[in-house]
Amino acid sequence: MKKNLKYNVVWLLIAALAYAFIYILYVTGVITPFTEYTLITIGINIMLALGLNLIIGFSGQFSLGHAGFMAIGAYSAAIMSVKYPTMGGFFSGILLGIILSGIVALVVGIPTLRLKGDYLAIATLGISEIIRIIIINMKDVTNGPAGIFGIPPMVNWSLVFGFVVIVTLIIVNFIHSGPGRATMAIREDEIAAESMGVNTTKYKVAAFIIGAVTASVAGAIYSSYVQTIAPKDFGFMKSIDILIIVVFGGIGSVTGTFISAIVLGILNMFLQDAGALRMIIYALALIIIMIFKPGGLLGTWEFSVKKIVKKKEDKSNASIER
Amino acid sequence: MEVVIQQLVNGLFLGSIYALLALGYTMVYGIIKLINFAHGEIYMLGGFMGYFFINKLSLGFFPALILSMVGAAVIGVVIEFLAYRPLRKSTRIAALITAIGVSFLLQNGMIYWLGPEKKSFPQAIEFKNYQLGFIQISNIQVLILVISLVLMVALQLIVKKTKMGKAMRAVSVDADAAQLMGINVNRTISFTFALGSALAAAAGMLIGLYYNSIDPMMGVVPGLKSFVAAVLGGIGIIPGAALGGFVIGLLETITIALGFSDYKDAVVYALLIIILLIRPAGILGKNIKEKV
């Protein structure tokens, strides 16, 4: 218990340091409104990619419908905060998005996650397209293909930072809990896990719902930050964008997701005018990484305070023995 | 009643395009268990190759069709060799991500090279309308149906009657055992990709001729829908893919005829989810229990 407390304090310190670092960047004027966009996009992408990595990397199920859940969150928050332009309205919008996306993920996940293989990828892709088509056609509520504009801005960088920390905490805690270990057992070998008494559908659905909910929260923050959303923002391309972050970072690595979201975010800032060329580079990188490192760049490697501390202890012990 | 029959006829033509595409999906999935996401892009490339052969080389429609089918077959084999073959032994998620990468590369490559705007496909065959009783049919629709049926029958003959077809069937049942029997598995897989890609290119050219326009993103939605068609008919089963294609085409035109044209894509995806729920093996498929 005491040991865990120590690690938690270290992590809290790291989070505080990151916060202070960004704060200093703001005060010294390094972050202009232009670079702020990159910073907040990185935050949103971290949340999205963590959720997707939980589904792909930790439970081994391939979902291509992340943009659909993001759209649910974005639209819930946008509609609520246009109606009630207060912080309360925004948060109730987030809550609505969480509930809606959770229900959709549950309803969709129970039947489709029974399937083995990659049918799930196509099924989730279909679902996200269905969500998008419904949004386009619910003209009274969502303003159809034109989208919603004039969404009151409620988020600033510290709120995004807070949400990133909360989402990370939830996902990391899930991974390290009993259900999380069961989920990873399913990833390693579904049939073996099942024969050891793991209720595979239950844990796959749990991971899927958590991933969907985090996508919806990220979508809500996105809508409030950019202030204009349209159904075309949440197409197949968006799902691929998030997938690219997950693959670059490592399929099954939280640390990797952070690193790749930050690196790709900064890279995007410089490649903004490259257009199709940027996508060509990404696509080539995706293929090359998969051929030479099918688990993503970092694989399942994690940065862990625990390991570093333990290693030091081991070394000191060894020196005593000598 | 006339409207319904007219729509059913229209659905048949659309369905034959989906069927051509679905055949490629089903063969590749049947043989290496990979959803070839780049298949829709081969269809797009087929359309563009036809466009260049007719416009720049001023070939007739049929020589252009045969040339672009050959071209697409080569591209399909090259993609398989460069991107999918190194991943034969790795996880299916890795292979699927690679396939998405390839499809992305082809789309954006074409956008980078030719721009994202629509191009008008040359009308190599003069448009004529025929009136059969109360049904209206254009010569292009007849052409689509005839070419698709000819290609489907040819494919069925290749798979059932030739040595290569026998090898394909053997590899799809058990690649290792086929190898032990002296079948060159790699060559068989390449051949499968060539066949599927050629069919996709034919579909791309036919749709270009029918709608009179092609663009670099045209492969995405038909690609997904024809995958749904392949799943619907029973993935890995060639007649199933053809059947699924026609069902999807008819379903789509019926949805439009009923006045829900905004929902035509949603209906197809919903059908996929329903099929996966009640009959994951597809209409013509047999349910196989997984062995440990």
Coordinates of all heavy atoms in Angstrom, one line a residue, chain A residues 18-48:
Chain A
A18 N 4.1 18.4 -15.9 CA 3.6 18.7 -17.3 C 2.7 19.9 -17.3 O 2.8 20.8 -18.2 CB 2.8 17.5 -17.8
Y19 N 1.8 20.0 -16.3 CA 1.0 21.2 -16.2 C 1.8 22.5 -16.1 O 1.6 23.4 -16.8 CB 0.0 21.0 -15.0 CG -1.0 22.1 -15.0 CD1 -2.2 21.9 -15.6 CD2 -0.8 23.3 -14.2 CE1 -3.2 22.9 -15.6 CE2 -1.8 24.3 -14.2 CZ -3.0 24.0 -14.9 OH -4.0 25.0 -14.8
A20 N 2.8 22.4 -15.2 CA 3.6 23.6 -15.0 C 4.4 24.0 -16.3 O 4.5 25.1 -16.6 CB 4.6 23.3 -13.9
F21 N 4.8 22.9 -17.0 CA 5.6 23.2 -18.2 C 4.7 23.9 -19.2 O 5.1 24.9 -19.8 CB 6.0 21.8 -18.8 CG 6.7 21.9 -20.1 CD1 8.0 22.5 -20.2 CD2 6.2 21.3 -21.2 CE1 8.7 22.6 -21.3 CE2 6.9 21.4 -22.4 CZ 8.1 22.0 -22.5
I22 N 3.5 23.4 -19.4 CA 2.6 24.1 -20.4 C 2.3 25.5 -19.9 O 2.2 26.4 -20.7 CB 1.3 23.2 -20.6 CG1 1.6 21.9 -21.1 CG2 0.3 23.9 -21.5 CD1 0.5 20.9 -21.1
Y23 N 2.1 25.6 -18.6 CA 1.8 26.9 -18.0 C 2.9 27.9 -18.3 O 2.6 29.1 -18.8 CB 1.6 26.8 -16.5 CG 1.0 28.1 -15.9 CD1 -0.3 28.4 -16.0 CD2 1.9 28.9 -15.1 CE1 -0.8 29.5 -15.4 CE2 1.4 30.1 -14.6 CZ 0.0 30.4 -14.7 OH -0.5 31.5 -14.1
I24 N 4.1 27.5 -18.1 CA 5.3 28.4 -18.4 C 5.3 28.7 -19.9 O 5.5 29.9 -20.2 CB 6.6 27.7 -18.0 CG1 6.6 27.6 -16.4 CG2 7.8 28.4 -18.5 CD1 7.7 26.7 -15.9
L25 N 5.0 27.7 -20.7 CA 5.0 28.0 -22.2 C 4.0 29.1 -22.5 O 4.2 30.0 -23.3 CB 4.6 26.7 -23.0 CG 5.7 25.7 -23.1 CD1 5.2 24.5 -24.0 CD2 7.0 26.2 -23.6
Y26 N 2.8 29.1 -21.8 CA 1.8 30.1 -22.0 C 2.3 31.5 -21.5 O 2.2 32.5 -22.2 CB 0.5 29.7 -21.3 CG -0.5 29.1 -22.1 CD1 -0.6 27.7 -22.2 CD2 -1.4 29.9 -22.9 CE1 -1.5 27.2 -23.1 CE2 -2.3 29.3 -23.7 CZ -2.4 28.0 -23.8 OH -3.3 27.4 -24.6
V27 N 2.9 31.5 -20.3 CA 3.3 32.7 -19.7 C 4.4 33.4 -20.6 O 4.4 34.6 -20.8 CB 3.7 32.5 -18.3 CG1 4.4 33.8 -17.7 CG2 2.6 32.1 -17.4
T28 N 5.3 32.5 -21.1 CA 6.4 33.1 -21.8 C 6.0 33.4 -23.3 O 6.9 33.9 -24.0 CB 7.6 32.1 -21.8 OG1 7.1 30.8 -22.2 CG2 8.3 32.0 -20.5
G29 N 4.8 33.1 -23.6 CA 4.3 33.4 -25.0 C 4.8 32.5 -26.1 O 4.7 32.8 -27.2
V30 N 5.3 31.3 -25.7 CA 5.6 30.3 -26.7 C 4.4 29.8 -27.4 O 4.3 29.6 -28.6 CB 6.4 29.2 -26.1 CG1 6.7 28.1 -27.1 CG2 7.7 29.7 -25.5
I31 N 3.3 29.7 -26.6 CA 2.0 29.2 -27.2 C 1.2 30.4 -27.6 O 0.7 31.2 -26.8 CB 1.3 28.3 -26.1 CG1 2.1 27.0 -26.0 CG2 -0.1 28.0 -26.6 CD1 1.6 26.1 -24.9
T32 N 1.0 30.5 -28.9 CA 0.2 31.5 -29.5 C -1.2 30.9 -29.8 O -1.3 29.6 -29.7 CB 0.8 32.1 -30.7 OG1 1.0 30.9 -31.6 CG2 2.1 32.7 -30.5
P33 N -2.2 31.7 -30.1 CA -3.5 31.0 -30.5 C -3.3 29.9 -31.6 O -4.0 29.0 -31.6 CB -4.3 32.2 -31.1 CG -3.8 33.3 -30.3 CD -2.3 33.1 -30.1
F34 N -2.3 30.1 -32.5 CA -2.0 29.1 -33.5 C -1.5 27.8 -32.9 O -2.0 26.7 -33.2 CB -1.1 29.7 -34.5 CG -0.7 28.7 -35.6 CD1 -1.6 28.2 -36.5 CD2 0.6 28.2 -35.7 CE1 -1.3 27.3 -37.5 CE2 1.0 27.3 -36.7 CZ 0.0 26.9 -37.6
T35 N -0.5 27.9 -32.0 CA 0.0 26.7 -31.5 C -0.9 26.1 -30.4 O -0.8 24.9 -30.1 CB 1.4 26.9 -30.8 OG1 1.4 28.2 -30.2 CG2 2.5 26.9 -31.9
E36 N -1.8 27.0 -29.8 CA -2.7 26.4 -28.9 C -3.6 25.4 -29.5 O -4.0 24.4 -28.9 CB -3.6 27.6 -28.3 CG -4.5 27.1 -27.2 CD -5.5 28.2 -26.8 OE1 -6.0 28.8 -27.6 OE2 -5.7 28.3 -25.5
Y37 N -4.0 25.7 -30.8 CA -4.8 24.7 -31.5 C -4.1 23.3 -31.5 O -4.7 22.3 -31.3 CB -5.0 25.2 -32.9 CG -5.9 24.3 -33.8 CD1 -7.2 24.3 -33.6 CD2 -5.3 23.4 -34.7 CE1 -8.0 23.4 -34.4 CE2 -6.0 22.5 -35.4 CZ -7.4 22.5 -35.3 OH -8.1 21.7 -36.0
T38 N -2.8 23.3 -31.8 CA -2.1 22.1 -31.9 C -2.1 21.4 -30.5 O -2.3 20.2 -30.4 CB -0.6 22.4 -32.3 OG1 -0.6 23.1 -33.5 CG2 0.2 21.1 -32.4
L39 N -1.9 22.2 -29.4 CA -1.8 21.7 -28.1 C -3.1 21.0 -27.7 O -3.2 19.9 -27.2 CB -1.5 22.8 -27.1 CG -1.3 22.4 -25.7 CD1 0.1 21.8 -25.6 CD2 -1.4 23.6 -24.8
I40 N -4.2 21.7 -28.0 CA -5.5 21.2 -27.6 C -5.9 20.0 -28.4 O -6.4 19.0 -28.0 CB -6.6 22.3 -27.6 CG1 -6.3 23.2 -26.4 CG2 -8.0 21.7 -27.5 CD1 -7.3 24.3 -26.2
T41 N -5.5 20.0 -29.7 CA -5.8 18.9 -30.6 C -5.0 17.7 -30.1 O -5.5 16.5 -30.1 CB -5.3 19.2 -32.0 OG1 -5.9 20.4 -32.4 CG2 -5.7 18.1 -33.0
I42 N -3.8 17.9 -29.6 CA -3.0 16.8 -29.1 C -3.7 16.2 -27.9 O -3.9 14.9 -27.8 CB -1.6 17.2 -28.6 CG1 -0.7 17.5 -29.9 CG2 -0.9 16.2 -27.8 CD1 0.6 18.2 -29.6
G43 N -4.3 17.0 -27.0 CA -5.0 16.5 -25.8 C -6.2 15.7 -26.3 O -6.4 14.6 -25.7
I44 N -7.0 16.2 -27.2 CA -8.2 15.5 -27.7 C -7.8 14.2 -28.3 O -8.4 13.1 -28.1 CB -9.0 16.4 -28.7 CG1 -9.6 17.6 -27.9 CG2 -10.1 15.6 -29.3 CD1 -10.1 18.7 -28.8
N45 N -6.7 14.2 -29.1 CA -6.2 13.0 -29.8 C -5.7 12.0 -28.8 O -5.9 10.8 -29.0 CB -5.1 13.3 -30.8 CG -5.7 13.9 -32.1 OD1 -6.9 13.7 -32.4 ND2 -4.9 14.5 -32.8
I46 N -5.1 12.4 -27.7 CA -4.7 11.5 -26.7 C -5.9 10.7 -26.1 O -5.9 9.5 -26.0 CB -3.9 12.2 -25.5 CG1 -2.5 12.6 -26.0 CG2 -3.7 11.3 -24.3 CD1 -1.7 13.4 -25.0
M47 N -6.9 11.5 -25.8 CA -8.1 10.8 -25.3 C -8.7 9.8 -26.3 O -9.1 8.7 -25.9 CB -9.2 11.9 -24.9 CG -9.0 12.5 -23.6 SD -10.3 13.7 -23.3 CE -9.6 15.2 -23.8
L48 N -8.9 10.3 -27.5 CA -9.4 9.4 -28.5 C -8.6 8.1 -28.7 O -9.1 7.0 -28.8 CB -9.5 10.1 -29.9 CG -10.6 11.2 -30.0 CD1 -10.3 12.0 -31.2 CD2 -12.0 10.6 -30.1

